[in-house]
């Protein structure tokens, strides 16, 4: 099964949330997958970006009124971040046809047919399982976020002795008061707003899943080349110059695929690393305080575990490309002296002198060492966030039963009740 057949069901899920708007994904030929500006998928993506930009302005206006602290600053940052992610995903969709040509070139190579059926089945199951797991966990996280907000607003109404007959309207006007000050409230507009928020939130998970699927596939191509090399390193058979010339050529083609794909997707990787590091620090920050409700504690711990898992899987699959690309160096050292030839020497020298790894716009390369560096960055940023929280401890606090933030106050229950 080809890479495109493997990821097709995942791309359909992406488009349900308005992400990566590729037209023609249901067609079997990936050459027909392309960005069409007049398609429903692209229009939905653009509408969600406009909504996200509007909500970013609304969040900024809200913080201008109530003040900024380490907790509520995530509002405008969230919408700004997901808009950038969606723009980058739109860029990936625009360049998708050029990626198709490179992928077809690699999958047509003879070495990729070595043990192909078993490798394809294993790779397909792995990629789909990881993608569905992360997408499901991301959706559950957002549902928990909505649940804890509803619970908090209902409890606020009980404590403040407020009367309301329409729970969705009460929740909408208390949660999105600054928005509905500009837009008249209606139930359809509230439902669309919730869908837009869900779709925008899923952009975080979509970018990581896309990076995982791409790097896992490229790592699998290197593994197939390694399997052919390993055969000649374990048996007493002397490989000819032609064999090593073909292996070298195939290896270079996979390297070119990696370089071409990352030239398109590396901005996503930079944003992914920055976003995930901030989210880990943000959730760790919430562990310091005490939550009022159990559902809030459940959400905090679940969200922290999810973002750590998502970050680990993304970094692991990206750094694994570097590991499998260097594996031929170890395999070639097992080949006896009488098996060495000029083409093998050229191949060995090429790998040793070439830096083959997933690159983030040339800023850094993802290896196992990079993962440890990012762990140290989390500790540093967490200390900075705690200091920022102390310096803004008296800002951005909205008193319970106050209309300062939402500019809406339900009617008070009658004293007879």
């Amino acid at each position: 099964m080809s890479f495109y057949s493997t990821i097709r069901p995942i791309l359909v899920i992406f488009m349900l949330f308005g992400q990566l708007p590729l037209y023609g994904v249901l067609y079997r030929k990936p050459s027909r997958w392309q960005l069409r500006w007049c398609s429903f998928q692209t229009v939905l993506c653009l509408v969600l970006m406009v909504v996200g930009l509007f909500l970013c302005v609304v969040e900024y206006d809200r913080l201008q009124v109530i003040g900024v602290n380490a907790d509520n600053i995530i509002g405008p940052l969230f919408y700004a971040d997901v808009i950038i992610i969606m723009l980058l995903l739109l860029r990936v969709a625009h360049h998708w046809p050029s990626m198709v040509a490179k992928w077809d070139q690699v999958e047509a190579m003879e070495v990729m047919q070595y043990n192909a059926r078993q490798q394809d089945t294993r790779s397909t199951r792995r990629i789909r399982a990881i993608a569905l797991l992360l997408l499901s966990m991301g959706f559950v996280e957002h549902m928990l976020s909505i649940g804890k907000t509803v619970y908090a607003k209902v409890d606020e109404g009980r404590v403040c002795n407020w009367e309301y007959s329409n729970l969705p309207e009460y929740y909408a006007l208390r949660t999105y008061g600054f928005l509905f000050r500009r837009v008249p409230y209606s139930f359809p507009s509230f439902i669309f707003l919730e869908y837009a928020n869900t779709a925008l939130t899923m952009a975080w998970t979509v970018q990581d899943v896309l990076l995982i699927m791409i790097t896992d596939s490229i790592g699998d191509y290197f593994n197939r080349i390694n399997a052919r090399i390993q055969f000649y390193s374990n048996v007493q058979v002397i490989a000819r110059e032609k064999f090593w010339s073909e292996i070298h050529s195939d290896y270079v083609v996979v390297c070119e695929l990696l370089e071409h794909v990352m030239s398109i997707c590396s901005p996503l990787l930079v944003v992914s690393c920055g976003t995930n590091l901030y989210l880990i620090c943000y959730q760790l920050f919430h562990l310091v305080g005490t939550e009022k409700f159990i559902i809030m504690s459940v959400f905090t711990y679940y969200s922290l575990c999810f973002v750590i898992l998502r970050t680990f899987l993304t970094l692991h699959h990206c750094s694994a490309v570097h590991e499998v690309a260097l594996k031929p160096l170890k395999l070639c050292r097992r080949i006896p002296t009488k098996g060495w030839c000029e083409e093998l020497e050229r191949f060995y020298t090429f790998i040793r002198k070439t830096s083959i790894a997933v690159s983030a716009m040339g800023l850094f390369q993802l290896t196992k060492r990079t993962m440890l560096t990012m762990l140290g960055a989390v500790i540093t940023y967490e200390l900075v966030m705690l200091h920022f929280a102390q310096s803004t401890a008296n800002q951005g606090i909205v008193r319970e039963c106050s209309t300062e933030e939402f500019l809406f106050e339900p009617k008070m229950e009658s004293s007879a009740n």
Side-chain angles (χ1 to χ4, degrees), residues 17 46-47 73 114 131 164 184 198 222-223 234-235 241 243 304 312 320 322 337 341 349 354 398 400 409:
F17 299 106
L46 295 175
V47 168
I73 195 175
Y114 180 74
Y164 57 88
T198 302
F222 281 116
N223 274 325
N234 291 336
V235 299
E241 295 263 356
F243 170 80
L304 175 62
F312 170 77
H322 176 70
T337 305
C341 59
T349 304
T354 307
V398 180
E400 198 169 40
E409 184 176 356

Side-chain angles (χ1 to χ4, degrees), residues 249-399:
S249 176
D250 293 342
Y251 189 91
V252 170
V253 172
V254 178
C255 290
E256 290 175 349
L257 171 66
L258 174 63
E259 182 179 0
H260 179 76
V261 170
M262 292 317 301
S263 68
I264 298 171
C265 299
S266 59
L268 271 177
L269 181 58
V270 174
V271 176
S272 172
C273 291
T275 299
N276 289 334
L277 287 178
Y278 175 77
L279 290 176
I280 291 174
C281 294
Y282 181 78
Q283 295 299 341
L284 287 173
F285 169 74
H286 278 80
L287 293 181
V288 177
T290 56
E291 299 289 359
K292 185 177 180 181
F293 307 112
I294 294 179
I295 189 174
M296 292 184 176
S297 298
V298 171
F299 169 76
T300 300
Y301 281 97
Y302 178 88
S303 183
L304 175 62
C305 292
F306 171 58
V307 71
I308 290 176
L309 175 64
R310 194 178 71 203
T311 304
F312 170 77
L313 289 175
T314 303
L315 296 180
H316 170 71
H317 281 81
C318 290
S319 62
V321 173
H322 176 70
E323 299 293 322
V324 297
L326 293 182
K327 190 175 179 181
L329 292 178
K330 298 179 181 179
L331 297 176
C332 289
R333 294 191 189 107
R334 300 176 184 174
I335 299 175
T337 305
K338 63 180 181 179
W340 278 79
C341 59
E342 184 178 350
E343 285 297 333
L344 174 55
E345 183 67 34
R346 289 182 59 229
F347 177 55
Y348 184 85
T349 304
F350 173 79
I351 299 175
R352 189 166 54 87
K353 293 186 176 181
T354 307
S355 179
I356 306 167
V358 173
S359 174
M361 297 180 67
L363 299 175
F364 57 89
Q365 291 183 329
L366 274 179
T367 63
K368 295 294 177 65
R369 185 175 298 178
T370 309
M371 295 176 65
L372 295 176
T373 303
M374 290 186 176
L375 177 62
V378 168
I379 299 174
T380 303
Y381 293 157
E382 186 65 23
L383 294 175
V384 173
M385 184 172 287
L386 290 174
H387 176 72
F388 180 59
Q390 291 178 354
S391 62
T392 59
N394 299 321
Q395 302 177 18
I397 300 175
V398 180
R399 293 173 284 108

